[in-house]
Amino acid sequence: MLMKFIVLLVIPFIINSSSINSDTYIGKWKIEGGSIIEIYQDGDHFYGKIYKRAEHPISNLNGLDNKNPKKELQNRPLLGMNILNNLSFKKGVLTGGTIYNADSGKTYTVKVWINSDDTNLCYIRAYKSFLFKTFKAKRVKPEDIAGNRQ
């Protein structure tokens, strides 16, 4: 009887934790504020590029990487630019990489994870030392992407 009880407790945990695999991250995600990033895998690493900018961006109004500290990169377009770089999938989470904030021109350590209760909800946490900021992102279905990319 006790063994059956233990097995019944463990099975839901195994099923729940296995619902997040590396493929779960791949796709388009709308970040709070309105920008859409596309997370993709290249080899063993994951990246995220800007797919669509927010309707009312707070900076870089001309669509270029104006705040980049490297002068030679300040004229590159934001659309299609990788902002998530070199993330690895470990224990259901994307870690070990960086996120570039085009609004400030700064790069931070990043961790990305998906809510196991709702795989259409993702969290992106940027770290600077012991400080961090977490952004929510919701999965975007192809039919939900309206209008042109800007």
Side-chain angles (χ1 to χ4, degrees):
M1 177 74 170
L2 180 61
M3 187 59 150
K4 286 181 185 178
F5 180 71
I6 292 171
V7 171
L8 290 175
L9 284 176
V10 172
I11 288 176
F13 176 74
I14 292 170
I15 292 170
N16 193 23
S17 65
S18 66
S19 66
I20 306 298
N21 62 49
S22 61
D23 289 341
T24 311
Y25 287 91
I26 296 172
K28 294 178 180 73
W29 299 87
K30 187 172 187 176
I31 300 173
E32 294 170 322
S35 294
I36 297 175
I37 61 168
E38 181 175 6
I39 296 178
Y40 65 97
Q41 184 174 4
D42 186 4
D44 290 337
H45 290 94
F46 289 80
Y47 301 86
K49 61 185 172 183
I50 299 173
Y51 180 80
K52 185 176 180 181
R53 295 186 67 213
E55 280 187 44
H56 304 288
I58 60 173
S59 71
N60 303 328
L61 301 179
N62 62 358
L64 301 177
D65 192 13
N66 304 324
K67 306 285 183 166
N68 197 301
K70 295 180 182 176
K71 204 80 161 148
E72 66 272 15
L73 296 178
Q74 292 179 355
N75 286 322
R76 71 178 171 170
L78 294 173
L79 278 184
M81 182 177 75
N82 277 346
I83 59 168
L84 292 172
N85 291 291
N86 296 315
L87 291 154
S88 298
F89 181 77
K90 293 180 183 161
K91 297 181 182 178
V93 176
L94 297 180
T95 62
T98 61
I99 186 168
Y100 174 70
N101 180 348
D103 292 330
S104 68
K106 296 183 180 177
T107 300
Y108 304 95
T109 303
V110 70
K111 172 179 156 183
V112 180
W113 71 95
I114 290 178
N115 183 337
S116 61
D117 295 329
D118 180 359
T119 57
N120 292 314
L121 183 59
C122 173
Y123 297 92
I124 302 167
R125 180 170 288 168
Y127 293 90
K128 180 178 181 180
S129 183
F130 61 89
L131 302 173
F132 61 86
K133 183 168 184 176
T134 306
F135 302 89
K136 274 189 199 176
K138 292 184 179 178
R139 187 179 304 277
V140 179
K141 298 175 187 159
E143 62 270 17
D144 293 338
I145 300 175
N148 59 354
R149 293 168 37 181
Q150 26 175 316

